[in-house]
Amino acid sequence: MALKTLEIRVADEAVGRADKLVQAMTGHSRSQIRGLFDHQCVSINGQPCSDPGLALAVGDQVVVTFDPHTRYHEKKAHWSDRTFSLVYEDDEIVIVDKSSGVLTVPTEQGEPNTLMERVSVFLSHGRKRRPALVVHRLDREVSGLLVMAKTEQARARLAEQFKEHKPERKYHAIIRGTLKTPEGTIRNFLKTAKNLDRFATDDEVDGELAITHYKVITALQEATLVEVRLETGRRNQIRVHMANLGHPLLGDDRYGRHSRPHPKWTSKRIALHAATLSFIHPRTAKTMQFDSPLPPVMDRFVRATAIA
């Protein structure tokens, strides 16, 4: 790689912002100029400069070193948002870690600040507006990993994988009580009641096949931390299946409303976290896996109640 070096000493007529001078020196676009600063291609008086708006003084020595065949893209600023944290992004997909209490998509009431809306804002930050295309969802009070698409082609390919139950999804859940067996599989069909609650049934005609695998991770005081792997991905599947075992998730007022609350679980959220997500990249066809640690509220509870 042959680097090109441009050097200038600031004269009276060149006093001003550093990016203006570097643009005049290179002839690059404004976005590429910001990229040069982000990639430490600019030095002033022998020191790397990352501030395009730095005010130059007469006599300052400005040196720009770069590969003329490389396009230096501006680095994206750190994104801070209460609804999600960014895990991974490329031209086709974006992986986010959703916060508890956030709807994935708005309902008919049109709630603001849904995950879809906030990720769309992130994808459009400083760029042409680009909507986040939803592939799968998490319940409002559930946190963890989600993949969203940036193109319709990527969304369609990912949706096909989820339809065929190919992605691997593992959750960490804290359930009430102690399981009789350290691992097992739940297989039945789920239907929706008039109040929109889901319930298990043996009706193969009207029900949706739901298969959940679980195993104990840690025994807790009056509770258990379990790993749950979904073979199918039905709405409220884990919550219904664990409640049917007699071990509802902590904080689940919907399917665990008839169970005595755990005295040490004071959070309003559900103790369920999408911890692992693995799928085939829609363009490269490579297997991609992402992992997310227990949220602080769940981690603190496990540490405080673990049975030695």
Side-chain angles (χ1 to χ4, degrees), residues 14-25 29-44 47-57 60 62 64 72-75 77:
V15 169
R17 289 171 55 105
D19 56 355
K20 296 291 187 182
L21 179 59
V22 173
Q23 187 171 21
M25 293 170 65
S29 67
R30 290 181 63 185
S31 63
Q32 290 185 69
I33 294 302
R34 289 191 294 268
L36 289 175
F37 279 90
D38 284 348
H39 290 273
Q40 297 187 325
C41 296
V42 181
S43 65
I44 298 176
Q47 298 297 318
C49 178
S50 59
D51 181 8
L54 182 71
L56 298 173
D60 282 344
V62 179
V64 185
Y72 292 89
H73 293 282
E74 180 183 5
K75 291 184 178 180

Side-chain angles (χ1 to χ4, degrees), residues 208-283:
E208 296 179 304
L209 177 62
I211 304 174
T212 301
H213 307 281
Y214 65 87
K215 66 178 180 180
V216 172
I217 299 177
T218 306
L220 310 172
Q221 298 169 16
E222 302 181 45
T224 307
L225 175 65
V226 296
E227 178 187 273
V228 181
R229 181 172 63 84
L230 290 183
E231 191 168 321
T232 59
R234 310 303 183 188
R235 181 172 67 87
N236 297 166
Q237 177 175 321
I238 296 174
R239 297 166 63 184
V240 174
H241 276 175
M242 300 316 294
N244 282 359
L245 282 183
H247 302 282
L249 275 61
L250 300 192
D252 191 348
D253 295 333
R254 188 172 193 174
Y255 298 104
R257 57 183 174 270
H258 301 302
S259 176
R260 182 171 63 89
H262 194 290
K264 293 186 177 181
W265 182 261
T266 58
S267 175
K268 294 182 179 179
R269 65 159 292 165
I270 295 173
L272 181 62
H273 180 70
T276 297
L277 177 63
S278 178
F279 57 90
I280 304 299
H281 193 281
R283 179 175 57 81

Side-chain angles (χ1 to χ4, degrees), residues 106-133:
T107 67
E108 294 178 353
Q109 282 69 45
E111 294 87 349
N113 295 319
T114 62
L115 182 68
M116 180 178 70
E117 177 187 341
R118 296 307 302 161
V119 176
S120 295
V121 170
F122 163 73
L123 293 179
S124 304
H125 185 59
R127 296 172 286 187
K128 181 179 179 182
R129 177 161 177 78
R130 170 179 279 176
L133 304 178

